[in-house]
mmCIF file of all heavy atoms in Angstrom:
data_model
loop_
_atom_site.group_PDB
_atom_site.id
_atom_site.type_symbol
_atom_site.label_atom_id
_atom_site.label_comp_id
_atom_site.label_asym_id
_atom_site.label_seq_id
_atom_site.Cartn_x
_atom_site.Cartn_y
_atom_site.Cartn_z
ATOM 1 N N ALA A 8 47.148 16.782 34.805
ATOM 2 C CA ALA A 8 47.376 17.425 36.113
ATOM 3 C C ALA A 8 46.252 18.270 36.573
ATOM 4 O O ALA A 8 45.910 18.284 37.760
ATOM 5 C CB ALA A 8 48.686 18.324 35.955
ATOM 6 N N HIS A 9 45.608 18.949 35.599
ATOM 7 C CA HIS A 9 44.422 19.807 36.023
ATOM 8 C C HIS A 9 43.307 18.978 36.603
ATOM 9 O O HIS A 9 42.789 19.312 37.656
ATOM 10 C CB HIS A 9 43.982 20.534 34.855
ATOM 11 C CG HIS A 9 42.680 21.294 34.975
ATOM 12 N ND1 HIS A 9 42.612 22.537 35.696
ATOM 13 C CD2 HIS A 9 41.418 21.015 34.666
ATOM 14 C CE1 HIS A 9 41.395 22.942 35.715
ATOM 15 N NE2 HIS A 9 40.612 22.026 35.052
ATOM 16 N N LEU A 10 42.990 17.907 35.999
ATOM 17 C CA LEU A 10 41.838 16.969 36.376
ATOM 18 C C LEU A 10 42.233 16.348 37.685
ATOM 19 O O LEU A 10 41.328 16.209 38.526
ATOM 20 C CB LEU A 10 41.570 15.907 35.326
ATOM 21 C CG LEU A 10 41.021 16.481 33.993
ATOM 22 C CD1 LEU A 10 40.811 15.391 32.957
ATOM 23 C CD2 LEU A 10 39.681 17.311 34.203
ATOM 24 N N ILE A 11 43.493 16.000 37.899
ATOM 25 C CA ILE A 11 43.935 15.312 39.212
ATOM 26 C C ILE A 11 43.804 16.278 40.336
ATOM 27 O O ILE A 11 43.202 16.064 41.410
ATOM 28 C CB ILE A 11 45.277 14.668 39.059
ATOM 29 C CG1 ILE A 11 45.291 13.536 38.161
ATOM 30 C CG2 ILE A 11 45.825 14.385 40.424
ATOM 31 C CD1 ILE A 11 46.651 12.948 37.821
ATOM 32 N N LEU A 12 44.182 17.563 40.113
ATOM 33 C CA LEU A 12 44.158 18.553 41.114
ATOM 34 C C LEU A 12 42.813 18.936 41.490
ATOM 35 O O LEU A 12 42.484 19.181 42.604
ATOM 36 C CB LEU A 12 45.060 19.754 40.696
ATOM 37 C CG LEU A 12 46.489 19.608 40.603
ATOM 38 C CD1 LEU A 12 47.167 20.939 40.043
ATOM 39 C CD2 LEU A 12 47.107 19.426 42.055
ATOM 40 N N LYS A 13 41.839 18.912 40.516
ATOM 41 C CA LYS A 13 40.535 19.146 40.708
ATOM 42 C C LYS A 13 39.670 17.934 41.151
ATOM 43 O O LYS A 13 38.505 18.012 41.471
ATOM 44 C CB LYS A 13 39.796 19.720 39.460
ATOM 45 C CG LYS A 13 40.454 20.981 38.960
ATOM 46 C CD LYS A 13 40.043 22.098 39.938
ATOM 47 C CE LYS A 13 40.509 23.555 39.416
ATOM 48 N NZ LYS A 13 40.140 24.549 40.373
ATOM 49 N N LYS A 14 40.402 16.800 41.241
ATOM 50 C CA LYS A 14 39.748 15.560 41.575
ATOM 51 C C LYS A 14 38.607 15.168 40.748
ATOM 52 O O LYS A 14 37.488 14.577 41.251
ATOM 53 C CB LYS A 14 39.389 15.538 43.089
ATOM 54 C CG LYS A 14 40.532 15.729 44.045
ATOM 55 C CD LYS A 14 40.123 15.756 45.513
ATOM 56 C CE LYS A 14 41.357 15.917 46.414
ATOM 57 N NZ LYS A 14 41.019 15.964 47.905
ATOM 58 N N GLN A 15 38.730 15.426 39.521
ATOM 59 C CA GLN A 15 37.672 15.157 38.490
ATOM 60 C C GLN A 15 37.972 13.718 37.912
ATOM 61 O O GLN A 15 38.294 13.576 36.716
ATOM 62 C CB GLN A 15 37.572 16.227 37.484
ATOM 63 C CG GLN A 15 37.150 17.596 38.056
ATOM 64 C CD GLN A 15 37.011 18.612 36.992
ATOM 65 O OE1 GLN A 15 37.702 18.613 36.011
ATOM 66 N NE2 GLN A 15 36.136 19.583 37.240
ATOM 67 N N TRP A 16 37.836 12.737 38.631
ATOM 68 C CA TRP A 16 38.310 11.289 38.209
ATOM 69 C C TRP A 16 37.430 10.831 36.996
ATOM 70 O O TRP A 16 38.021 10.211 36.231
ATOM 71 C CB TRP A 16 38.188 10.416 39.342
ATOM 72 C CG TRP A 16 38.849 10.862 40.695
ATOM 73 C CD1 TRP A 16 38.333 11.266 41.849
ATOM 74 C CD2 TRP A 16 40.251 11.156 40.849
ATOM 75 N NE1 TRP A 16 39.181 11.703 42.739
ATOM 76 C CE2 TRP A 16 40.452 11.670 42.104
ATOM 77 C CE3 TRP A 16 41.435 11.067 40.071
ATOM 78 C CZ2 TRP A 16 41.697 12.084 42.652
ATOM 79 C CZ3 TRP A 16 42.710 11.429 40.480
ATOM 80 C CH2 TRP A 16 42.851 11.944 41.860
ATOM 81 N N LYS A 17 36.146 11.123 37.080
ATOM 82 C CA LYS A 17 35.315 10.636 35.950
ATOM 83 C C LYS A 17 35.708 11.223 34.594
ATOM 84 O O LYS A 17 35.640 10.606 33.573
ATOM 85 C CB LYS A 17 33.849 10.938 36.234
ATOM 86 C CG LYS A 17 33.245 10.060 37.423
ATOM 87 C CD LYS A 17 31.781 10.457 37.669
ATOM 88 C CE LYS A 17 31.250 9.574 38.871
ATOM 89 N NZ LYS A 17 29.805 9.890 38.951
ATOM 90 N N GLU A 18 36.148 12.469 34.730
ATOM 91 C CA GLU A 18 36.635 13.180 33.434
ATOM 92 C C GLU A 18 37.858 12.490 32.819
ATOM 93 O O GLU A 18 38.045 12.452 31.611
ATOM 94 C CB GLU A 18 36.889 14.636 33.784
ATOM 95 C CG GLU A 18 35.703 15.480 34.031
ATOM 96 C CD GLU A 18 34.822 15.744 32.751
ATOM 97 O OE1 GLU A 18 35.306 15.347 31.685
ATOM 98 O OE2 GLU A 18 33.787 16.245 32.838
ATOM 99 N N ILE A 19 38.723 12.012 33.764
ATOM 100 C CA ILE A 19 39.943 11.421 33.253
ATOM 101 C C ILE A 19 39.697 10.079 32.409
ATOM 102 O O ILE A 19 40.336 9.937 31.294
ATOM 103 C CB ILE A 19 40.905 11.096 34.388
ATOM 104 C CG1 ILE A 19 41.402 12.285 35.102
ATOM 105 C CG2 ILE A 19 42.108 10.265 33.975
ATOM 106 C CD1 ILE A 19 42.162 12.073 36.356
ATOM 107 N N PHE A 20 38.711 9.325 32.878
ATOM 108 C CA PHE A 20 38.454 8.104 32.184
ATOM 109 C C PHE A 20 37.220 8.073 31.342
ATOM 110 O O PHE A 20 36.645 7.051 30.976
ATOM 111 C CB PHE A 20 38.318 6.979 33.252
ATOM 112 C CG PHE A 20 39.497 6.752 34.099
ATOM 113 C CD1 PHE A 20 39.598 7.327 35.404
ATOM 114 C CD2 PHE A 20 40.699 6.191 33.630
ATOM 115 C CE1 PHE A 20 40.739 7.181 36.215
ATOM 116 C CE2 PHE A 20 41.831 6.063 34.349
ATOM 117 C CZ PHE A 20 41.798 6.547 35.716
ATOM 118 N N HIS A 21 36.718 9.335 30.988
ATOM 119 C CA HIS A 21 35.587 9.432 30.201
ATOM 120 C C HIS A 21 35.837 8.867 28.741
ATOM 121 O O HIS A 21 36.852 9.089 28.233
ATOM 122 C CB HIS A 21 35.043 10.828 30.044
ATOM 123 C CG HIS A 21 33.602 11.019 29.726
ATOM 124 N ND1 HIS A 21 33.122 10.793 28.429
ATOM 125 C CD2 HIS A 21 32.541 11.314 30.429
ATOM 126 C CE1 HIS A 21 31.923 11.051 28.486
ATOM 127 N NE2 HIS A 21 31.471 11.452 29.682
ATOM 128 N N VAL A 22 34.767 8.259 28.184
ATOM 129 C CA VAL A 22 34.933 7.595 26.903
ATOM 130 C C VAL A 22 35.090 8.584 25.761
ATOM 131 O O VAL A 22 35.581 8.209 24.644
ATOM 132 C CB VAL A 22 33.651 6.685 26.607
ATOM 133 C CG1 VAL A 22 32.348 7.669 26.347
ATOM 134 C CG2 VAL A 22 33.761 5.805 25.390
ATOM 135 N N ARG A 23 34.716 9.833 25.941
ATOM 136 C CA ARG A 23 34.927 10.841 25.019
ATOM 137 C C ARG A 23 36.371 11.031 24.492
ATOM 138 O O ARG A 23 36.553 11.474 23.421
ATOM 139 C CB ARG A 23 34.357 12.255 25.453
ATOM 140 C CG ARG A 23 35.242 13.023 26.459
ATOM 141 C CD ARG A 23 34.862 14.361 26.627
ATOM 142 N NE ARG A 23 33.558 14.502 27.254
ATOM 143 C CZ ARG A 23 33.388 14.606 28.562
ATOM 144 N NH1 ARG A 23 34.451 14.609 29.373
ATOM 145 N NH2 ARG A 23 32.178 14.800 29.140
ATOM 146 N N TRP A 24 37.253 10.686 25.364
ATOM 147 C CA TRP A 24 38.737 10.828 24.950
ATOM 148 C C TRP A 24 39.020 9.886 23.890
ATOM 149 O O TRP A 24 40.033 10.121 23.078
ATOM 150 C CB TRP A 24 39.590 10.707 26.153
ATOM 151 C CG TRP A 24 39.338 11.733 27.249
ATOM 152 C CD1 TRP A 24 38.870 11.416 28.486
ATOM 153 C CD2 TRP A 24 39.323 13.169 27.089
ATOM 154 N NE1 TRP A 24 38.710 12.582 29.266
ATOM 155 C CE2 TRP A 24 39.009 13.767 28.326
ATOM 156 C CE3 TRP A 24 39.599 13.979 26.037
ATOM 157 C CZ2 TRP A 24 38.914 15.031 28.465
ATOM 158 C CZ3 TRP A 24 39.547 15.308 26.305
ATOM 159 C CH2 TRP A 24 39.179 15.898 27.519
ATOM 160 N N ILE A 25 38.302 8.803 23.768
ATOM 161 C CA ILE A 25 38.534 7.819 22.659
ATOM 162 C C ILE A 25 38.157 8.606 21.373
ATOM 163 O O ILE A 25 38.858 8.438 20.316
ATOM 164 C CB ILE A 25 37.691 6.512 22.793
ATOM 165 C CG1 ILE A 25 38.182 5.807 24.058
ATOM 166 C CG2 ILE A 25 37.801 5.669 21.528
ATOM 167 C CD1 ILE A 25 37.414 4.572 24.262
ATOM 168 N N LEU A 26 37.096 9.249 21.369
ATOM 169 C CA LEU A 26 36.674 10.021 20.165
ATOM 170 C C LEU A 26 37.723 11.097 19.860
ATOM 171 O O LEU A 26 38.054 11.371 18.707
ATOM 172 C CB LEU A 26 35.295 10.714 20.406
ATOM 173 C CG LEU A 26 34.770 11.659 19.352
ATOM 174 C CD1 LEU A 26 34.679 11.025 17.976
ATOM 175 C CD2 LEU A 26 33.492 12.317 19.676
ATOM 176 N N PHE A 27 38.205 11.716 20.904
ATOM 177 C CA PHE A 27 39.301 12.735 20.754
ATOM 178 C C PHE A 27 40.485 12.150 20.012
ATOM 179 O O PHE A 27 40.875 12.757 19.079
ATOM 180 C CB PHE A 27 39.728 13.194 22.175
ATOM 181 C CG PHE A 27 40.624 14.361 22.222
ATOM 182 C CD1 PHE A 27 40.149 15.757 22.202
ATOM 183 C CD2 PHE A 27 41.994 14.145 22.094
ATOM 184 C CE1 PHE A 27 41.017 16.719 22.193
ATOM 185 C CE2 PHE A 27 42.884 15.222 22.096
ATOM 186 C CZ PHE A 27 42.348 16.515 22.191
ATOM 187 N N LEU A 28 40.893 10.988 20.370
ATOM 188 C CA LEU A 28 42.153 10.351 19.753
ATOM 189 C C LEU A 28 41.773 9.959 18.308
ATOM 190 O O LEU A 28 42.624 10.021 17.536
ATOM 191 C CB LEU A 28 42.541 9.119 20.575
ATOM 192 C CG LEU A 28 43.029 9.441 21.890
ATOM 193 C CD1 LEU A 28 43.392 8.132 22.758
ATOM 194 C CD2 LEU A 28 44.337 10.294 21.799
ATOM 195 N N LEU A 29 40.537 9.543 18.069
ATOM 196 C CA LEU A 29 40.192 9.154 16.721
ATOM 197 C C LEU A 29 40.208 10.420 15.731
ATOM 198 O O LEU A 29 40.652 10.386 14.587
ATOM 199 C CB LEU A 29 38.841 8.464 16.701
ATOM 200 C CG LEU A 29 38.605 7.095 17.351
ATOM 201 C CD1 LEU A 29 37.244 6.717 17.298
ATOM 202 C CD2 LEU A 29 39.533 6.100 16.489
ATOM 203 N N ILE A 30 39.826 11.539 16.285
ATOM 204 C CA ILE A 30 39.789 12.710 15.478
ATOM 205 C C ILE A 30 41.286 13.071 15.244
ATOM 206 O O ILE A 30 41.655 13.484 14.062
ATOM 207 C CB ILE A 30 39.057 13.895 16.210
ATOM 208 C CG1 ILE A 30 37.565 13.560 16.442
ATOM 209 C CG2 ILE A 30 39.311 15.221 15.471
ATOM 210 C CD1 ILE A 30 36.846 14.571 17.229
ATOM 211 N N VAL A 31 42.189 13.014 16.220
ATOM 212 C CA VAL A 31 43.546 13.289 16.103
ATOM 213 C C VAL A 31 44.149 12.427 15.003
ATOM 214 O O VAL A 31 44.981 12.861 14.134
ATOM 215 C CB VAL A 31 44.271 13.138 17.388
ATOM 216 C CG1 VAL A 31 45.771 13.238 17.107
ATOM 217 C CG2 VAL A 31 43.777 14.241 18.335
ATOM 218 N N LEU A 32 43.794 11.053 15.088
ATOM 219 C CA LEU A 32 44.353 10.223 14.047
ATOM 220 C C LEU A 32 43.913 10.523 12.623
ATOM 221 O O LEU A 32 44.629 10.342 11.703
ATOM 222 C CB LEU A 32 43.928 8.729 14.428
ATOM 223 C CG LEU A 32 44.611 8.044 15.464
ATOM 224 C CD1 LEU A 32 43.965 6.685 15.768
ATOM 225 C CD2 LEU A 32 46.094 7.849 15.162
ATOM 226 N N VAL A 33 42.666 11.027 12.500
ATOM 227 C CA VAL A 33 42.134 11.461 11.164
ATOM 228 C C VAL A 33 43.084 12.637 10.617
ATOM 229 O O VAL A 33 43.390 12.627 9.442
ATOM 230 C CB VAL A 33 40.673 11.877 11.198
ATOM 231 C CG1 VAL A 33 40.278 12.568 9.855
ATOM 232 C CG2 VAL A 33 39.811 10.612 11.501
ATOM 233 N N ILE A 34 43.346 13.531 11.564
ATOM 234 C CA ILE A 34 44.137 14.733 11.100
ATOM 235 C C ILE A 34 45.473 14.242 10.791
ATOM 236 O O ILE A 34 46.091 14.862 9.884
ATOM 237 C CB ILE A 34 44.085 15.713 12.349
ATOM 238 C CG1 ILE A 34 42.692 16.263 12.565
ATOM 239 C CG2 ILE A 34 45.130 16.844 12.011
ATOM 240 C CD1 ILE A 34 42.582 17.019 13.873
ATOM 241 N N LEU A 35 46.011 13.296 11.428
ATOM 242 C CA LEU A 35 47.374 12.689 11.206
ATOM 243 C C LEU A 35 47.456 11.853 9.956
ATOM 244 O O LEU A 35 48.580 11.485 9.579
ATOM 245 C CB LEU A 35 47.900 11.963 12.397
ATOM 246 C CG LEU A 35 48.173 12.806 13.686
ATOM 247 C CD1 LEU A 35 48.615 11.784 14.852
ATOM 248 C CD2 LEU A 35 49.167 13.722 13.506
ATOM 249 N N SER A 36 46.357 11.416 9.491
ATOM 250 C CA SER A 36 46.266 10.437 8.400
ATOM 251 C C SER A 36 47.186 10.740 7.076
ATOM 252 O O SER A 36 47.800 9.845 6.599
ATOM 253 C CB SER A 36 44.837 10.125 7.885
ATOM 254 O OG SER A 36 44.186 11.269 7.426
ATOM 255 N N PRO A 37 47.277 12.053 6.667
ATOM 256 C CA PRO A 37 48.143 12.287 5.544
ATOM 257 C C PRO A 37 49.532 11.979 5.794
ATOM 258 O O PRO A 37 50.248 11.394 4.967
ATOM 259 C CB PRO A 37 47.932 13.793 5.269
ATOM 260 C CG PRO A 37 46.626 14.180 5.921
ATOM 261 C CD PRO A 37 46.523 13.252 7.047
ATOM 262 N N MET A 38 50.019 12.265 7.101
ATOM 263 C CA MET A 38 51.417 11.951 7.414
ATOM 264 C C MET A 38 51.574 10.511 7.601
ATOM 265 O O MET A 38 52.670 9.856 7.135
ATOM 266 C CB MET A 38 51.747 12.656 8.723
ATOM 267 C CG MET A 38 53.258 12.409 9.181
ATOM 268 S SD MET A 38 53.689 13.249 10.743
ATOM 269 C CE MET A 38 52.615 12.290 11.919
ATOM 270 N N LEU A 39 50.613 9.816 8.223
ATOM 271 C CA LEU A 39 50.748 8.361 8.387
ATOM 272 C C LEU A 39 50.692 7.584 7.107
ATOM 273 O O LEU A 39 51.368 6.591 6.857
ATOM 274 C CB LEU A 39 49.639 7.897 9.377
ATOM 275 C CG LEU A 39 49.623 8.455 10.702
ATOM 276 C CD1 LEU A 39 48.397 7.982 11.449
ATOM 277 C CD2 LEU A 39 50.866 8.049 11.460
ATOM 278 N N SER A 40 49.946 8.073 6.214
ATOM 279 C CA SER A 40 49.853 7.282 4.820
ATOM 280 C C SER A 40 51.210 7.542 4.113
ATOM 281 O O SER A 40 51.703 6.592 3.487
ATOM 282 C CB SER A 40 48.766 7.924 3.990
ATOM 283 O OG SER A 40 48.937 9.344 3.675
ATOM 284 N N ASP A 41 51.795 8.638 4.258
ATOM 285 C CA ASP A 41 53.166 8.919 3.689
ATOM 286 C C ASP A 41 54.227 8.021 4.331
ATOM 287 O O ASP A 41 54.964 7.336 3.573
ATOM 288 C CB ASP A 41 53.573 10.278 3.811
ATOM 289 C CG ASP A 41 54.963 10.602 3.261
ATOM 290 O OD1 ASP A 41 55.295 10.123 2.355
ATOM 291 O OD2 ASP A 41 55.789 11.366 3.972
ATOM 292 N N LEU A 42 54.076 7.779 5.595
ATOM 293 C CA LEU A 42 54.987 6.938 6.322
ATOM 294 C C LEU A 42 54.845 5.497 5.819
ATOM 295 O O LEU A 42 55.828 4.748 5.621
ATOM 296 C CB LEU A 42 54.847 7.011 7.822
ATOM 297 C CG LEU A 42 55.345 8.357 8.487
ATOM 298 C CD1 LEU A 42 55.039 8.306 9.912
ATOM 299 C CD2 LEU A 42 56.916 8.500 8.223
ATOM 300 N N PHE A 43 53.614 5.153 5.717
ATOM 301 C CA PHE A 43 53.242 3.804 5.243
ATOM 302 C C PHE A 43 53.866 3.455 3.885
ATOM 303 O O PHE A 43 54.433 2.372 3.629
ATOM 304 C CB PHE A 43 51.749 3.558 5.264
ATOM 305 C CG PHE A 43 51.366 2.222 4.867
ATOM 306 C CD1 PHE A 43 51.526 1.026 5.684
ATOM 307 C CD2 PHE A 43 50.747 1.930 3.693
ATOM 308 C CE1 PHE A 43 51.151 -0.189 5.322
ATOM 309 C CE2 PHE A 43 50.265 0.704 3.211
ATOM 310 C CZ PHE A 43 50.509 -0.464 4.015
ATOM 311 N N ILE A 44 53.675 4.509 2.964
ATOM 312 C CA ILE A 44 54.191 4.313 1.544
ATOM 313 C C ILE A 44 55.703 4.141 1.618
ATOM 314 O O ILE A 44 56.280 3.344 0.841
ATOM 315 C CB ILE A 44 53.776 5.527 0.642
ATOM 316 C CG1 ILE A 44 52.154 5.482 0.434
ATOM 317 C CG2 ILE A 44 54.479 5.456 -0.642
ATOM 318 C CD1 ILE A 44 51.658 6.708 -0.150
#
């Protein structure tokens, strides 16, 4: 919502958010490994 209101379209689709999600997945890995087991 913030980026849309500011019309910062390039920020919305920036490749850095893929890195962001990968870091989040690493943090979630203990829980995900437990679910897998």
Side-chain angles (χ1 to χ4, degrees):
H9 173 76
L10 294 177
I11 290 171
L12 290 173
K13 295 293 185 180
K14 297 181 179 180
Q15 296 178 331
W16 311 114
K17 291 182 179 180
E18 289 287 353
I19 294 177
F20 301 104
H21 200 286
V22 69
R23 73 168 68 95
W24 301 120
I25 296 177
L26 174 61
F27 187 91
L28 292 175
L29 289 175
I30 297 172
V31 171
L32 282 175
V33 170
I34 296 168
L35 294 176
S36 59
M38 180 182 70
L39 296 177
S40 64
D41 175 39
L42 288 175
F43 181 72
I44 292 171

